Amino acid sequence: MRTHLKFITSKNTFLAVTTVITTLLLSACVTTNKDQKAQDDSSNMVGQATTFSPRADNQYLSQEQAFKRSARVSNVSYQLHYSLTGKELFSASSTINFALSDNASPLTVDLNKAQITSIEINGFSMPVAQLEKNYNQWFITLPAEQLIKGNNAVTVNFTRKHSTNGEGLHRFKDPVDDKVYLYSHFEPAAAQQMFALFDQPDLKATFEMIVSAPQEWTVFSAMKEEKITQQGDFNIWHFPKSKTLSPYNFSLHAGPYKMWQDNSGKYPLRLFTRQSVSNQITPRHWFTYTQQGFEFFDDYFGIEYPFKKYDQVLVPDFLYGAMENAAAVTFAEGSFLTNGEMSQSRRQRLASVIMHEMAHQWFGNLATMKWWNGLWLNESFAAFMATLATAESTEFTNAWRSFYAGGKQSAYRADQRVTTHPIEVPVPSTANAFDNIDAITYSKGASVLNQLRHLLGEKIFQQGIHNYLSNNSYNNAVLDDFINSLAKASGKNLEQWQQKWLYQAGVNTIEASYQCNAGKISSFKLLQTADASQPTLREQKVQIALLKAKKPGFDLTKKISVIYQGKSTQVDELIGVTCPDLVYPNYQDWAFVKVNLDARSFKTTQNYLAQIQDPLLRSMLWQSLWDSVRDGKLPLNEYLKVALANAPLEQDYTTLGQILGQISSAKIYLNKGLGNQHAYVKEIAQQLEEITWQSTLANSDHKNMQRRWFSSYLNFAHTDSALDNLYKLLNGQHSLEGLIISQDIRWDIIAQLSRFQHAKSAELIAQELTLDSSDTGEKSAIYAQVIAPDAKVKTNWLVEIQQKNSNVGFSKLRTAMSALYPSEQNSFREQSATQLMSSLMEIDKVKGPVFMRSYNNLIPATCSELSVARLKTAINDLTELSSGTKRSLLIKHQEDQRCLMIRHSLTLPN
Ligand SMILES: [Zn+2]
């Protein structure tokens, strides 16, 4: 420890001495430069240049400023030194070498909220007074006269607090054993919370790094360390020069992580978790999916994995699901740790996220977007590729069906909202980088790429991708490069396609319209419509399937592929075919389009849903029914009649998940629209509790199905007897054949008991916390406390959430937000509505976009005329809101109107 301090102190002493000397030298030098330049360029006001800051005085970087900078700067390399102790502060030195095309004006270097001890520009130290003037806590302005046309070197020494918001170099202290863990997260522009740099994707650079860290720590990054030396109580980790990377793809993780290794495949793999949660993962799953992924991607892209080794680390407090840092990927603990056996759906999600991040290593890290408007393609491509790789290389051959039921439905919903937007939109500044990162960019984008694959053909599509990646390796590219690559491979002009799919918002609807004569089809056309607000009609390749009922089940009598366009497309090939009982015009889900079932097919679906053998088709028909509810065409009670009769018959795991999700949404509409005391809602609630429990019992031989039913039961159990049943499962008085009550399930049970005011719930929370005092345990306890229908608890938490500087970490506040207002507690939401609305603008201003993403879920929408009007007023009055919050408000308003419409469409007997 002492030796380590000496290392830092001696460096600083040296710097202090050199500062004095170079300050003296510098004043002379500046004058010379000034005179020189005044002669070189009479239009250049050098006097201004020293004080003029070339960008807006805030933490964001505009595209314009970024492109101006990258037009002048090239050949960037970083040498980074870190001294990590586990304490709240770290100290660092970051040297940037770069070429500059002109030194006519100042240049800025990003560095967020650091205590700078010295800056050296091309051998000269910036005097303290100048340093203070030239650093605004967001970026350093390097005066023009200290820059050189040609090669420059800038060194910044600083100390900084570790971040605790999930960005920069995040620090987490484990409540279980007090061990400290660090990890970095940079996207879109948070590398500047860890070092001084040009923080923009098109200034790719190499990174060399030396890290001093406590001896029991492991340090890992984009490259594998070349050596570890010892200095007192610390180890010095030497990382060799990396490949050329965009800064947001670089990373540094350090701490006493538990490590597993697997060298049995093509690339060396490592996996890390915190020590205290290391029993909550199954490394075998991780290594299996990872190896399957590498085999798939190496082959599919036709380019070997570029970064040689592959590390994956589970980290706490993570803001997103995972992040594709080159060769050192981070995953959110919350999504991937399990206290107990991992359910099938979570294992599938794990495989899919591993594939997603791995796809980015090529598409994103090797060939990178130039600016954040390209982020959608990055994410859409990874989402598409993850589904393809999961379906084709892992045990989860159902991956496309899961995509259909999950991501694709979110995309359809998002694309029908007033807030929809084209897939490709301008991103004026880093402040807006994530504004449009939503279901449109991930899932609509992925669906559209999948349609393009069908349109062009698998092999041609793959060739186009290969060409794009190899032409842009270690470089930046834009959308046109991608489209041109595919156009060239296919020999097709894709301009129209690009225009209509990527620059126009909205989803179309298709419907089969046909006539039969003497048992045969006499005419058949596909009709395409668009919403009036988004009138673009598009061209797509689909498959039309015709089915005929037999007893029991259905025969697929005909399947043809068709490219449709415009309002109506004649399909003569089907004339003369046996008149069908069911027509589905997007069979096997090639297209991104809503399907309106024709009247006969709709009736068939309602009556014989469970008899459709093809699981994807069955899933799509379930979706058609649910869409009809959401569009106000089918009364919710009619849907529930079909759903409650057919759900227990469902034998497919993925489809069952989809159905239970729909039923859960249906229950939310009822709770909010009619209230949980309404006789019909009570009756449905009772039935749901009963059906989910009976199905849990009935599936004791099918572990995965049983788990799925039991999760639903955990959500619907509310009567005294069901709560008592849960209580007994918790304390071991009851047991369920086939089901282990794991720590995760224990917390779920406790939350449900608390939600419905079981007499013992407060006691149970406190007691469980003594058994599980982990970070997950703490969050689960907060969740269980906040979800209780207790006005005082809710008010206290709301105050905490709204505080300008809460001492409670963001990830815990986020947990509390998610528990505040379950749908049956609509009255609590209504009670806090006025306060939430009147403070919205102020909170939006203070808290920033990451916080607001969670907070905006609290905007009150209570499914009443009053609530719709209140939201409308807010939309009109709160004009100063950030774009993200404005969008949330618009969505809340539209969805609240939908809830009212669904309520009005109910056809309940009086
Ligand atoms: Zn991604």
Side-chain angles (χ1 to χ4, degrees), residues 404 408 412 451 454 510 512 526 540-545 560 564 583-595 597 616-617 620:
Y404 170 77
K408 197 160 184 176
Y412 285 140
Q451 160 64 202
H454 286 295
I510 52 170
L526 273 184
Q540 284 199 87
K541 189 171 186 178
V542 290
Q543 291 184 113
I544 303 172
I560 60 162
Y564 71 79
V583 177
Y584 199 79
N586 185 22
Y587 187 60
Q588 292 180 334
D589 196 27
W590 290 3
F592 184 79
V593 71
K594 266 181 86 177
V595 168
L597 292 175
L616 176 57
L617 180 59
M620 295 176 103

Side-chain angles (χ1 to χ4, degrees), residues 376-442:
W376 79 262
L377 181 59
N378 210 23
E379 293 309 340
S380 294
F381 187 86
F384 158 74
M385 214 61 218
T387 312
L388 186 66
T390 306
E392 299 200 358
S393 73
T394 74
E395 71 202 83
F396 305 107
T397 50
N398 58 327
W400 283 110
R401 284 197 283 123
S402 301
F403 177 72
Y404 170 77
K408 197 160 184 176
Q409 297 313 318
S410 318
Y412 285 140
R413 285 195 295 273
D415 213 10
Q416 292 171 78
R417 288 187 181 132
V418 287
T419 50
T420 190
H421 54 86
I423 291 178
E424 167 88 22
V425 288
V427 175
S429 143
T430 49
N432 314 101
F434 285 170
D435 279 3
N436 291 304
I437 294 306
D438 53 16
I440 301 277
T441 34
Y442 274 75

Side-chain angles (χ1 to χ4, degrees), residues 324 356-357 360 378-379 382 442:
E324 69 266 22
H356 178 112
E357 306 310 327
H360 276 310
N378 210 23
E379 293 309 340
Y442 274 75

Side-chain angles (χ1 to χ4, degrees), residues 119-390:
I119 301 176
E120 197 175 284
I121 310 168
N122 295 320
F124 297 111
S125 284
M126 191 182 272
V128 175
Q130 194 185 7
L131 198 159
E132 278 168 12
K133 208 171 69 186
N134 285 30
Y135 180 53
N136 61 5
Q137 295 292 306
W138 299 305
F139 56 87
I140 305 159
T141 303
L142 308 177
E145 54 280 7
Q146 289 167 12
L147 294 165
I148 299 168
K149 183 178 173 182
N151 293 329
N152 290 260
V154 175
T155 298
V156 183
N157 290 289
F158 63 94
T159 57
R160 192 190 189 280
K161 255 190 155 174
H162 284 289
S163 344
T164 52
N165 62 351
E167 293 186 326
L169 190 54
H170 181 92
R171 176 179 180 272
F172 178 87
K173 190 170 177 186
D174 193 323
V176 174
D177 53 17
D178 285 344
K179 289 183 193 299
V180 169
Y181 296 88
L182 310 177
Y183 65 86
S184 72
H185 179 83
F186 296 162
E187 191 181 31
Q192 54 193 279
Q193 295 179 33
M194 195 177 102
F195 57 104
L197 80 159
F198 304 121
D199 204 352
Q200 60 188 79
D202 65 338
L203 280 173
K204 285 199 168 186
T206 58
F207 297 80
E208 244 178 303
M209 186 165 65
I210 294 175
V211 180
S212 158
Q215 276 180 4
E216 63 279 17
W217 284 23
T218 303
V219 183
F220 50 108
S221 177
M223 301 291 287
K224 175 99 165 59
E225 74 278 0
E226 58 191 356
K227 62 175 177 182
I228 305 167
T229 55
Q230 209 182 327
Q231 197 168 52
D233 295 337
F234 289 80
N235 280 344
I236 313 293
W237 296 68
H238 301 256
F239 294 92
K241 188 182 276 192
S242 73
K243 299 252 170 113
T244 314
L245 294 170
S246 287
Y248 84 93
N249 290 138
F250 183 69
S251 65
L252 164 62
H253 318 293
Y257 286 101
K258 161 101 178 161
M259 179 178 81
W260 295 267
Q261 300 191 66
D262 183 340
N263 294 317
S264 64
K266 201 168 169 185
Y267 306 106
L269 309 179
R270 297 189 297 181
L271 178 64
F272 301 89
T273 64
R274 286 188 287 132
Q275 298 285 347
S276 68
V277 296
S278 61
N279 60 349
Q280 294 179 34
I281 62 165
T282 311
R284 182 173 46 84
H285 294 322
W286 286 76
F287 289 133
T288 302
Y289 305 143
T290 305
Q291 285 199 7
Q292 288 168 335
F294 274 121
E295 273 170 39
F296 179 84
F297 287 121
D298 269 358
D299 178 60
Y300 191 93
F301 294 138
I303 297 172
E304 286 221 340
Y305 168 64
F307 305 116
K308 306 298 176 211
K309 59 96 188 173
Y310 204 60
D311 295 332
Q312 300 177 102
V313 55
L314 288 105
V315 294
D317 293 344
F318 203 59
L319 290 173
Y320 311 99
M323 175 67 205
E324 69 266 22
N325 318 305
V329 179
T330 35
F331 292 79
E333 281 184 354
S335 309
F336 303 106
L337 290 179
T338 36
N339 259 310
E341 201 182 343
M342 220 177 191
S343 68
Q344 186 182 327
S345 61
R346 287 188 67 165
R347 268 194 300 123
Q348 183 175 342
R349 181 167 150 70
L350 171 63
S352 172
V353 176
I354 286 176
M355 298 305 172
H356 178 112
E357 306 310 327
M358 199 182 288
H360 276 310
Q361 302 300 321
W362 285 262
F363 202 105
N365 298 6
L366 179 64
T368 313
M369 72 210 150
K370 194 166 160 54
W371 181 247
W372 299 107
N373 64 316
L375 186 54
W376 79 262
L377 181 59
N378 210 23
E379 293 309 340
S380 294
F381 187 86
F384 158 74
M385 214 61 218
T387 312
L388 186 66
T390 306

Side-chain angles (χ1 to χ4, degrees), residues 25 74 108 139 195 198 244 345 387 460 462 489 539 610 691 705 765 767:
L25 289 171
S74 58
T108 63
F139 56 87
F195 57 104
F198 304 121
T244 314
S345 61
T387 312
I460 290 169
Q462 193 180 344
E539 179 182 312
I691 288 171
M705 296 294 274
I765 295 169
Q767 193 186 317

